[in-house]
Amino acid sequence: MADNIKLEDFSIGNDQTKTDDMLSTIGIVGSGRMGKELISYFSQKGFEVRFLDLTDETIEDTYNKITATLDAKIAHWGLTESEKRGIMSRIKGSSDYKIFSKCDIVIEAINTNTKTTSINIRQDVFKKIEEH
């Protein structure tokens, strides 16, 4: 039996056809420094990104900062305006946990530099995510 196994059987193929076990939508909890980096990174790699933060002002600020970062890339010829539009179209923010209902995976990126960020808060966040 072992003689029939080839190294190719364990390789990652070039087939980009989406299957049910592939990630397409990623959720991010928190849009602080690390959250923004994750949102930007995954959306630039072609993933749909859904992020949650506490207030609409924070969500708008996140969009503005990601836009500014992409504009800087455009200014240095690292990105085109149409690529920026594509990246931004894949990003959706909300203060409602329902945004995670279609996510394949959710990553917690809550600011850990504050005294109020405790294990209890993180546990509460994951309970709310599981509801959706």
Side-chain angles (χ1 to χ4, degrees), residues 26-32 34-40 42 49-53 92 94 99-100 103 105-110 129:
I26 297 173
I28 308 289
V29 179
S31 62
M34 180 59 69
K36 279 184 202 66
E37 288 179 22
L38 291 169
I39 294 163
S40 183
F42 287 122
V49 180
R50 305 294 177 254
F51 75 93
L52 177 121
D53 215 305
K92 304 280 186 277
S94 178
I99 198 162
F100 296 135
C103 289
I105 187 171
V106 177
I107 300 168
E108 178 267 319
I110 298 173
I129 292 168

Side-chain angles (χ1 to χ4, degrees), residues 8-23:
E8 292 83 21
D9 295 336
F10 299 99
S11 67
I12 298 174
N14 291 328
D15 183 12
Q16 297 297 315
T17 307
K18 182 172 178 357
T19 63
D20 289 337
D21 60 343
M22 290 181 67
L23 296 177

